[in-house]
Amino acid sequence: GAVVSQHPSRVICKSGTSVKIECRSLDFQATTMFWYRQFPKQSLMLMATSNEGSKATYEQGVEKDKFLINHASLTLSTLTVTSAHPEDSSFYICSARDALTGSHEQYFGPGTRLTVT
Amino acid sequence: QKEVEQNSGPLSVPEGAIASLNCTYSDRGSQSFFWYRQYSGKSPELIMSIYSNGDKEDGRFTAQLNKASQYVSLLIRDSQPSDSATYLCAVKLKGREAALIFGKGTTLSVSS
């Protein structure tokens, strides 16, 4: 149980274009999903907390107009990187909590490696 | 600034030995603590969660929590080469909706 998928697993895009990353909870409902970014040799940095049916909460320093988050259902959250630049190249990972258990354990998706050329 | 500190390592142990990974945190109000394992190029995988002072055992893994000292550790018994990975300590901040703060991780290398 507690499987989270992400799509795509890897994407290369040109500078100035937008990229959408999907995060799905496959066997549970997730009222809250989280988006992280991880640069090489660094730890995970929380970008935003996504709540189903409401606006995402962004961490300090994360541009909400650049990283658009939509959490339209209990099993799907999307992150759109708009006007991507090479410095946005990173490993983007989502995670989700099981709403029914009330547990604070987070289950991670496999991640999306974004390369902006 | 809420912080989670880990020794980056690498921590090297021979196969069959006990690996001890340590983590300290700054937010005294933290209630929930997690250990994740991350292989290179992969996303983190939850190993253990611990909420109360003391030890919690699951197979070869034992998590230890001391809230008074703001310290949490992970012991891996009978270490295997497949345990070689980066281990991330994560702490849930009090008052934040399930937000986890991660340490930078400790790289463990188990030699056969």
Side-chain angles (χ1 to χ4, degrees), chain B:
Chain B
Q1 182 76 11
K2 309 301 183 184
E3 294 183 343
V4 178
E5 300 285 345
Q6 293 181 256
N7 187 324
S8 63
L11 173 65
S12 298
V13 300
E15 184 175 358
I18 296 175
S20 177
L21 305 163
N22 305 314
C23 172
T24 59
Y25 58 95
S26 62
D27 182 14
R28 185 170 289 277
S30 299
Q31 300 293 317
S32 306
F33 308 87
F34 307 89
W35 283 99
Y36 286 85
R37 177 175 61 198
Q38 186 176 25
Y39 292 111
S40 181
K42 303 295 184 182
S43 67
E45 171 191 10
L46 180 66
I47 297 176
M48 295 279 288
S49 59
I50 186 166
Y51 306 99
S52 304
N53 280 328
D55 295 359
K56 179 181 179 182
E57 186 175 318
D58 184 0
R60 295 187 295 113
F61 299 98
T62 299
Q64 299 174 318
L65 175 61
N66 184 325
K67 290 184 180 179
S69 300
Q70 296 175 239
Y71 174 93
V72 58
S73 65
L74 179 70
L75 300 178
I76 306 175
R77 290 181 299 282
D78 188 23
S79 294
Q80 302 297 309
S82 58
D83 294 327
S84 298
T86 296
Y87 289 80
L88 302 170
C89 173
V91 176
K92 178 193 172 302
L93 298 180
K94 184 179 180 181
R96 287 286 306 271
E97 174 55 34
L100 296 184
I101 301 299
F102 284 83
K104 291 187 176 181
T106 298
T107 300
L108 171 67
S109 177
V110 181
S111 56
S112 58

Side-chain angles (χ1 to χ4, degrees), chain A residues 44-65:
Chain A
L44 282 77
M45 295 300 297
L46 179 66
M47 299 176 66
T49 301
S50 168
N51 293 296
E52 185 265 337
S54 64
K55 291 183 179 180
T57 302
Y58 290 82
E59 294 300 301
Q60 191 173 10
V62 178
E63 300 175 57
K64 63 180 180 181
D65 294 330

Side-chain angles (χ1 to χ4, degrees), chain A residues 9-107:
Chain A
S9 58
R10 189 179 294 269
V11 58
I12 300 173
C13 71
K14 293 186 177 181
S15 185
T17 62
S18 296
V19 173
K20 179 185 282 189
I21 302 170
E22 292 186 350
C23 176
R24 294 181 185 272
S25 56
L26 297 185
D27 52 359
F28 66 99
Q29 293 183 332
T31 53
T32 306
M33 290 184 172
F34 305 88
W35 287 96
Y36 295 85
R37 181 167 53 181
Q38 187 176 36
F39 292 107
K41 306 290 186 184
Q42 301 290 317
S43 188
L44 282 77
M45 295 300 297
L46 179 66
M47 299 176 66
T49 301
S50 168
N51 293 296
E52 185 265 337
S54 64
K55 291 183 179 180
T57 302
Y58 290 82
E59 294 300 301
Q60 191 173 10
V62 178
E63 300 175 57
K64 63 180 180 181
D65 294 330
K66 180 173 180 63
F67 298 99
L68 302 179
I69 291 173
N70 182 279
H71 192 160
S73 78
L74 287 173
T75 59
L76 173 65
S77 176
T78 61
L79 167 68
T80 301
V81 183
T82 63
S83 187
H85 291 286
E87 56 265 32
D88 297 325
S89 298
S90 188
F91 191 41
Y92 291 85
I93 314 173
C94 71
S95 70
R97 288 178 59 212
D98 188 331
L100 293 181
T101 66
S103 167
H104 291 295
E105 295 175 352
Q106 291 184 23
Y107 299 93

